Amino acid sequence: MYGLPVDVKGTIKDNTGAVVTNFESEHDGMGRFVLEPKPGATYTAEWLDEKKQLRKTPLPAVKKTGVVLRVMQQDNKEGFVVRRSTEGPENLKTLYVLGYFNQQVVYKARLNMKETFMIGGAIPLDGIPTGMLQLTVFDANWNAQAE
């Protein structure tokens, strides 16, 4: 807390109180979890801080249309899959993926999503130092959709 890494462990619950998934930090307070939001549902992260106090953090509201980004490590590549709403608006039919390392663009791709709702790729990690690679998906108007 207060800008410093914290080891956490918790659950994601939906508006009925059902546990949807669990999460815990892997390194320096960073971690990940997989969640496919359902229309009309709300989600809350419940976790214990370093003083074992229960914390509740509401997750952003589920939208009817949008983009989902899934990232997975593959040997010396960072694989990704981008999926858009099948009934999505025109601005979601051309997407851009930008990869940043130390605030420098190290990867850029234009995704033609006119004929498909899902597409994947891989970012070669050769020459990129160990650290955090940030990926952002933008719509056709360069509005951030997923990160």
Side-chain angles (χ1 to χ4, degrees), residues 52-119:
K52 304 297 182 206
Q53 292 181 332
L54 180 65
R55 302 286 182 154
K56 295 183 180 185
T57 305
L59 299 184
V62 176
K63 297 179 182 179
K64 290 183 181 185
T65 62
V67 173
V68 174
L69 170 65
R70 183 164 185 188
V71 180
M72 59 296 248
Q73 183 83 32
Q74 302 173 328
D75 299 321
N76 63 340
K77 298 176 184 171
E78 193 73 28
F80 66 87
V81 174
V82 176
R83 194 169 78 199
R84 70 167 175 85
S85 306
T86 55
E87 303 298 321
E90 237 1 81
N91 66 313
L92 298 183
K93 293 185 179 175
T94 298
L95 299 173
Y96 298 93
V97 176
L98 266 63
Y100 302 90
F101 183 82
N102 283 341
Q103 300 178 350
Q104 300 286 325
V105 175
V106 296
Y107 180 82
K108 182 178 178 181
R110 180 181 178 274
L111 308 178
N112 181 349
M113 306 286 285
K114 289 180 174 55
E115 303 295 325
T116 187
F117 68 95
M118 185 168 50
I119 197 165

